Amino acid sequence: MSVNQQAHTGPPYGQPQPGYQGYQQPAYGGQPLPGVPQSQYGAYNGPMPGYQQPVPPQGSLRAPPTSGAPPPASGASLPSGHLAYSQFGHGDVQNGIPASAAPMQRPPASQLFLPGSAPTPVSQTATFQQYGPPPASVQQLSNHMAGMTIGSTTASAPPPAGLGYGPPTSVPPVSGSFSATGSGLYTPYTASQGPSPTSVSQGLPLAQPLFPGQPMSTQRLPTQVPGFAPPPSSAGIGPSSYPPSTGAPRPPTMPGPPLPGQTVAGPPTSQPNHVSSPPPPSTMSGPHAGPPMSGLHGPPPPTHLPQPGYQMQQNGSFGQVRGPQPNYGGAYPGTPNYGSQPGPAPPPKRLDPDSIPSPQLNELPPQQKPRHRIDPDAIPSPIQVIEDDRSNRGSEPFVTGVRGQVPPLVTTNFLVKDQGNASPRYIRCTSYNIPCTSDMAKQSQVPLAAVIKPLATLPPEETLPYLVDHGESGPVRCNRCKAYMCPFMQFIEGGRRFQCCFCSCVTEVPPHYFQHLDHTGKRVDFYDRPELSLGSYEFLATVDYCKNNKFPSPPAFIFMIDVSYNAVKSGLVKLICEELKSLLDYLPREGNMEESAIRVGFVTYNKVLHFYNVKSSLAQPQMMVVSDVADMFVPLLDGFLVNVNESRTVIASLLDQIPEMFADTRETETVFAPVIQAGLEALKAAECAGKLFIFHTSLPIAEAPGKLKNRDDKKLINTDKEKTLFQPQTSFYNNLAKDCVAQGCCVDLFLFPNQYLDVATLGVVTYQTGGSIYKYAYFQLETDQDRFLNDLRRDVQKEVGFDAVMRVRTSTGIRATDFFGAFYMSNTTDVEMAGLDCDKTITVEFKHDDKLSEDSGALLQCALLYTSCAGQRRLRIHNLSLNCCTQLADLYRNCETDTLINYLAKYAYRGVLSSPVKTVRDALINQCAQILACYRKNCASPSSAGQLILPECMKLLPVYLNCVLKSDVLQPGPEVTTDDRAYIRQLVTSMDVAETNVFFYPRLLPLTKADVDSDSLPAAIRNSEERLSKGDIYLLENGLNMFVWVGVNVQQGLIQNLFGVSSFSQISNALSTLPVLENPFSKKVRSIVDMLQVQRSRYMKLIIVKQEDKLEMLFRHFLVEDKSLSGGASYVDFLCHMHKEIRQLLS
């Protein structure tokens, strides 16, 4: 079912923005399929807004109407096998009134049209029914299309006879009314064919409404964005008649009898609001594909006008009805069923969210009518793409044996079977088929990058990498390039030598490693050796891989607590000390060890540092103060770093005493750099690597090395000096970071600021040592302690490798040229990290240095040398083979948009350090326009320039890119602080693909639609205010924050069940957790919250937002498809802007 099931609530947000002109859209993908009639407008099977269609004559293409009445909308009854391609989702329900009573159907997703083939004629005919009779023939249509100029409204060719557009005869089409034009339009490409382009056709002249049309099909077809075509003028439409395509409903021109399933005026209560399946035939017959539609026969099409009360379905859902109110929909019949299933559901068909027509005009208040021109439902929907991938790829395991396979999306749950290539949990690429030449790579502008997460956590059902021990001799490697033995090495001469797959050098096989080859040239022990048969494995490193040629000692954790006035007064010091008493029993340990090998130490500080001797033989801990912070040293060696079990009573006594010792402190100033220096010196003295956990509250202004001043200045925003806000104010911390990396001293920083703290400077050491920063602004015990304690527990317990060095080797033809993430580099090839945990990623960009060949493909090998938490030196190896192509279409067919966005965001976030933010934003838009223009020029079938055609696997590039552009780093609203921007910039730089996906396009779930009896989550909906209904409760999460939004009309029973209060006005915004109530709805919602918290690497702060409350502004910031307060464009506007940029490049 479609995911987004929500109804639209109010148009205003999603309204069309003025000024988009209609776009024409040629067939999907731009080309008409043979045999398929095309509608005049494009592919989207949606009607043109506002066009009146004549009553259809019975055209030859449709089956005869069953009565004299106009054909049933849905295109005459189709015999059941044919699906009409309706404008609605596949077989889905349409939004708004049924267009000509019956929307055309789209085939259910499952039935793909093959690319080239047109569906059988029969079905076709039905399919395409336009409102009017279908065009007489394809030819005609195509001519028709041809005659239309892009931007203009006039079409030079008269509408085909049969087309429904003619003079307005009386029926205005409903919003969806155009059926898609030939089914061909939407032809899905099968996978084998090129990616289908998504075409959004738009001519975007700016003033016409677009076609609201068909939504994209989910099938892999070219995605065309619907809606852009301007209606032909011949259609007789005056401007006024165009309903905006987006959100506004169109005026009914003639009331006509209500559709069969439709009530005329009030919200139809009967209509289910949902997506997933069309209502039972009786209600709207049109939408179902398959069986003939019956209900419609009676009323002539006009009936189908939008009746006011019909619910629209926006993204596939029948949403609530929209009433006149500006932002919210009208009366709700109880709670709508938002994404839930309607009553008797017809067989489930996948709704294409993308396919919904725009809402009817008459439901909107007048002032809103003229706004948007494109139906938001007709443009590619992230929710639909995610749902389709889950249904198509979530059930089968992803087997990695084949070169160049594109994995399922990060939002899909799937199992991985390693058969020679690393799991996508470890490495994801922007493209799995890379251009053979640098010229081709430059032409496409698609960055070639891999997002690598070397120590990623695997689900319990997958096997961890095997640990291989080759004894004294260590791992077998190529003599020349030093690549490690892997499945792609070629054994020759009976197994006595092997040829390197990276550099082609031939190396002798060491005698102890020799093995005979079988008749295929494979070693007979192939399956017994992980390094010959698996994509990921580990080697035990020999002493040669250790610092100073001696094996490392187990690492140490040092807890360094700020005991200045703010920290003590807020209750933070006491909270940390209480938590550490129990947390120290959960330090990370190797698989079967009884206890952790990690030793611990404690320091407190304000303007001076206090070290504690917690040696097990002492009755009480001893404190030593170092007040000479300019020349830091550690006053004790023995007794500072200890084993937790041996010193348990002394440590407990210390943790009880610290809060009391500093309870009356008046010291407000703090130092910071000396604290890191102290930890570094302690690790040096102990000759081990380790991690410092620093809990810090304020800008370090006390006299000491690394002292900072408050340089926050909002006036620098949007000037050339804005970049200084992201740069450290002194180079002192860069030098300190370098020393920490050399020792393997990783720094994790927990910040609790009440004002500017200079995260850009304080975070330098954390960032360059591979550590993590956590920030709790205006920390309050009652609301923030859960989040802080959960983060601290996870941070202390998670798997981490110390003193790590990573190198990425590639086969001849490409090489790693650029790196992004939290690390330090002292040369051009080695990524050095004092600590690398299971959440951190390193993003690597590759460039060509020679030609590649399609036969041999390209290989990557990521080798990570690190010390485990038990002090064992290991090498973790990940291998990945990619295809190479000489045709751009193959590149565009094998890209992964989520990874591409992850790379582009990191590239942009690094760019703000050296360039004005505006330059960075423009460069991002330009690069994406070039990627899409290259596709359009070289891979898409010829079609009018008015069409926006997107490659199938990149159809979400515009919406996601717009989210990156609107993010706080690149376009801050007035309430975003400089520290927030620096913090987000550092976080995103080491996020993996799943984290950036939900961070930039948050997940929005209708809680009222959750099934309390199942474990599943309710289907997500799109991030736009118009999807929210006043009668529902929603949960939005982006990996850092979680909001529960409560509509003003939510039923009292739901409020009582979830919040334990009797009315909307009594819900408290101060709640940071949901009350534990014994009822199914409360249990279900809390289980959803817990499930989401577990999936994310940080504990999300829960914020309760009541509709129309002041916090709603904060919540709206995350509705990324809408315009942002800081000036960011809505998705529809940005798509039009991208189209304009692409057309400029093409012309």
Side-chain angles (χ1 to χ4, degrees), residues 614-639:
V614 283
K615 198 171 171 181
S616 56
S617 55
L618 297 173
Q620 283 294 318
Q622 296 171 347
M623 173 163 91
M624 299 186 183
V625 180
V626 176
S627 51
D628 180 7
V629 290
D631 182 18
M632 187 44 62
F633 65 98
V634 178
L636 71 163
L637 280 179
D638 192 27

Side-chain angles (χ1 to χ4, degrees), residues 99-124:
S100 56
M104 319 327 220
Q105 325 276 160
R106 262 189 214 169
S110 58
Q111 139 152 19
L112 255 40
F113 281 155
L114 285 189
S117 58
T120 54
V122 181
S123 54
Q124 236 117 266

Side-chain angles (χ1 to χ4, degrees), residues 566-616:
N566 279 342
V568 174
K569 188 187 68 171
S570 64
L572 181 63
V573 174
K574 187 170 174 50
L575 182 69
I576 293 167
C577 292
E578 282 301 312
E579 178 62 26
L580 289 179
K581 285 186 212 170
S582 55
L583 188 54
L584 295 177
D585 289 330
Y586 297 97
L587 297 176
R589 53 183 161 205
E590 291 293 314
N592 48 8
M593 291 173 58
E594 297 269 317
E595 61 174 49
S596 174
I598 294 173
R599 290 171 295 162
V600 298
F602 303 88
V603 172
T604 55
Y605 67 94
N606 40 44
K607 271 197 330 197
V608 298
L609 276 75
H610 321 104
F611 292 79
Y612 297 92
N613 182 345
V614 283
K615 198 171 171 181
S616 56

Side-chain angles (χ1 to χ4, degrees), residues 243-257:
S245 61
T246 70
R250 329 160 185 307
T253 25
M254 5 185 354

Side-chain angles (χ1 to χ4, degrees), residues 159-442:
L163 256 176
Y165 300 68
T169 46
S170 51
V171 181
V174 189
S175 62
S177 14
F178 266 28
S179 56
T181 44
S183 60
L185 299 177
Y186 256 43
T187 23
Y189 280 90
T190 47
S192 59
Q193 310 185 189
S196 24
T198 294
S199 122
V200 170
S201 93
Q202 17 189 102
L204 283 150
L206 284 172
Q208 303 210 136
L210 304 166
F211 208 159
Q214 262 321 115
M216 318 301 259
S217 91
T218 48
Q219 330 199 108
R220 302 239 143 194
L221 340 163
T223 304
Q224 285 200 163
V225 177
F228 292 47
S233 51
S234 58
I237 305 280
S240 61
S241 44
Y242 289 111
S245 61
T246 70
R250 329 160 185 307
T253 25
M254 5 185 354
L259 297 196
Q262 230 170 267
T263 47
V264 179
T269 36
S270 62
Q271 291 290 164
N273 299 318
H274 20 88
V275 180
S276 66
S277 21
S282 53
T283 33
M284 329 190 22
S285 53
H288 307 123
M293 321 298 198
S294 56
L296 290 163
H297 306 150
T303 338
H304 300 127
L305 300 178
Q307 309 285 329
Y310 198 97
Q311 313 196 145
M312 6 246 5
Q313 73 171 54
Q314 286 251 19
N315 81 149
S317 25
F318 264 118
Q320 75 187 53
V321 181
R322 285 165 171 193
Q325 322 164 186
N327 306 340
Y328 291 92
Y332 243 101
T335 36
N337 316 338
Y338 250 147
S340 62
Q341 282 321 112
K349 302 189 167 130
R350 164 158 243 102
L351 250 186
D352 197 350
D354 295 329
S355 50
I356 305 346
S358 44
Q360 285 47 43
L361 264 182
N362 46 324
E363 322 189 305
L364 280 188
Q367 70 284 12
Q368 313 183 313
K369 296 187 180 154
R371 285 187 55 221
H372 224 79
R373 313 298 191 207
I374 299 176
D375 175 8
D377 281 304
I379 54 185
S381 157
I383 304 299
Q384 188 66 37
V385 171
I386 288 169
E387 278 299 287
D388 289 346
D389 193 76
R390 281 185 184 146
S391 58
N392 298 334
R393 306 197 63 184
S395 50
E396 293 294 305
F398 177 69
V399 180
T400 71
V402 182
R403 184 173 86 189
Q405 287 183 100
V406 181
L409 298 181
V410 284
T411 42
T412 298
N413 277 327
F414 59 99
L415 267 183
V416 178
K417 291 198 172 158
D418 184 342
Q419 291 193 358
N421 280 293
S423 160
R425 302 189 205 288
Y426 294 123
I427 308 184
R428 276 189 178 261
C429 295
T430 52
S431 178
Y432 288 80
N433 199 334
I434 62 183
C436 283
T437 64
S438 59
D439 291 346
M440 189 173 155
K442 285 193 186 89

